Each structure stands twice: as structure tokens, then as C-alpha cells.
Amino acid sequence: MTAQLALAYSNDLLNWTKLPPLFPEYTDVAFSDIDVPSPRLNHTKSGAIVSEPTSDGLYHMYFGDSYFYHATSPDMLNWTALPSDQYFAGPLNPWENRLIEPGPAPIKTRDGKWLLVYNGMTTGRIGYPQNQYSVGQMLIDPSGGFRPTINVPEGMYQPALRDGPIARLQTPFLVPEADNEQEGQVDQVVFAEGLVQFKGKWYLYYGELVDRAELISRARG
């Protein structure tokens, strides 16, 4: 058995239609405790969908629990993913060197970019306990509008500019600190799962120790 990313939709939030796995036979990469990569066949999970289409009419999804992979859809039902070797983002900082995994749906910033809250796990790099899960943030632009325009003489080849995030936090903004976040069914876990705005505040719902959920809030800034 492997994790497979699927989707369900509803017109009234009461009656739901389930769809088959979105990316059958997709192969991603997993890292061992000593940073050795190995392929995982038919493994996909943790999709975060941008709620607005880009100017070409496509919706964008970021998924995965090692690297972030990128998929697009004209209708939010039928999705096409880039091959895993064309991943969107990989582990970069010490707190996330084992894996990164999308959290809630991205939220739109004032300048039209999107903020993606995501989860990361470390193998125990300097300053972080082994196997700790923490929460970070990544700035993305599905439109690709941040990429520079490159002009080349006629007839010359212009290579494609790699997709990827604009920026990300170097350190997590949420780490296991309370006793019930550090010891339990699975130790050293905080895991972002939901993000909503209500009366001028953002509320982040996150899991801890895998068997319970908590809530933190931040004033709108």
C-alpha cells in the first residue's frame, strides 16, 4: 500500500463525488536518515491548490512529501503533473533536509503573490532534534511573473527558466515547544493542516504528536 493523492468535489458540501487517484504510477523520491535518495513508485500525497487560475486559465497544485511537485488543471478536476525530475522545490535548509510537504491552500498576498505554509522534517542537522517536524513559509508565483524576460538573437536557443519558489523562510516559524508537542505517539511534531481568516485574524490549525490538533492565531498584518 502507498499513499495516493485523490480528490472529491461537492456542490452543497453534503453530497460528495470521489475521483480516482490523480497521478497513478507517479514516481517520486524519498530520503533516508543519511540523506540517501530512493525512488517511490505510485506515491503521491499532500496537495495544496491555488484558489485562483492564472491568466492562461490554469489552476495550480503543489504536492509531495519529499520534494514539491507542480501540476496544472483547466477545471480543478483533471490534473497534469510535470515529471518528478522537474520538481518545483526541494529541501534546502537544515530544519527541512529530510522532506518538505505542503500544508494548507496558499493565501494571496497584497502584491498578487501566494504564501504557502508548509511542513518540513530534519534528520537532525545542527540545531534541530532528529526527526523533528516544523512549519515554514514559502512565497510562490504560479504565473511565473517574477521570471526575467531574456532576449536572444533570432535563431539562437533560449533555455527554459526553471520553475520554483521566489523565497522561503530560513528557519521555521512554528516548532515543537510544549510538552504535548515534544513527547507522544510520535515525538517532536507540529504539522500545519488548515489556515482560515476570521475577523481580522489568521487561524492556523496544526497537528501535534499525530493524534490531536491545536490552534494558533495571528493578527492580520
Side-chain angles (χ1 to χ4, degrees):
M1 297 290 291
T2 61
Q4 296 187 64
L5 186 60
L7 186 149
Y9 65 91
S10 172
N11 294 322
D12 57 11
L13 299 181
L14 296 174
N15 302 287
W16 291 83
T17 299
K18 295 181 179 181
L19 301 181
L22 300 180
F23 310 112
E25 305 304 318
Y26 197 85
T27 300
D28 80 338
V29 174
F31 288 94
S32 70
D33 290 340
I34 56 175
D35 297 341
V36 176
S38 61
R40 288 187 296 191
L41 178 62
N42 202 27
H43 182 99
T44 54
K45 61 179 296 191
S46 300
I49 299 175
V50 177
S51 60
E52 297 179 8
T54 45
S55 60
D56 55 6
L58 293 177
Y59 291 90
H60 295 255
M61 176 198 296
Y62 302 90
F63 68 96
D65 69 336
S66 55
Y67 289 95
F68 284 179
Y69 305 106
H70 188 184
T72 57
S73 171
D75 55 11
M76 299 186 78
L77 297 177
N78 301 283
W79 293 88
T80 300
L82 292 172
S84 59
D85 60 352
Q86 298 181 37
Y87 59 86
F88 178 77
L92 179 64
N93 299 303
W95 67 273
E96 59 180 19
N97 74 294
R98 175 72 178 273
L99 63 84
I100 55 175
E101 185 171 351
I107 57 174
K108 195 172 186 178
T109 63
R110 291 189 180 96
D111 61 354
K113 306 296 190 298
W114 294 82
L115 188 67
L116 175 61
V117 174
Y118 70 100
N119 305 291
M121 180 185 179
T122 179
T123 57
R125 292 292 176 89
I126 296 175
Y128 299 97
Q130 186 177 16
N131 297 331
Q132 175 178 289
Y133 273 88
S134 307
V135 184
Q137 298 177 24
M138 181 181 292
L139 189 66
I140 62 176
D141 182 1
S143 73
F146 67 94
R147 301 187 187 93
T149 299
I150 300 177
N151 296 315
V152 298
E154 185 177 355
M156 290 186 64
Y157 170 69
Q158 179 176 330
L161 296 172
R162 184 183 177 91
D163 200 6
I166 301 172
R168 71 177 92 182
L169 294 180
Q170 290 185 335
T171 58
F173 74 92
L174 182 64
V175 298
E177 294 179 320
D179 291 342
N180 57 358
E181 297 168 350
Q182 294 180 341
E183 295 184 9
Q185 181 179 351
V186 179
D187 296 343
Q188 301 294 339
V189 172
V190 288
F191 197 90
E193 298 173 331
L195 183 62
V196 296
Q197 187 181 32
F198 182 68
K199 294 185 177 180
K201 285 187 176 183
W202 285 100
Y203 292 83
L204 176 68
Y205 292 83
Y206 71 96
E208 56 180 39
L209 311 180
V210 182
D211 61 356
R212 57 180 292 172
E214 295 289 340
L215 170 67
I216 62 172
S217 65
R218 292 288 184 269
R220 182 180 180 182

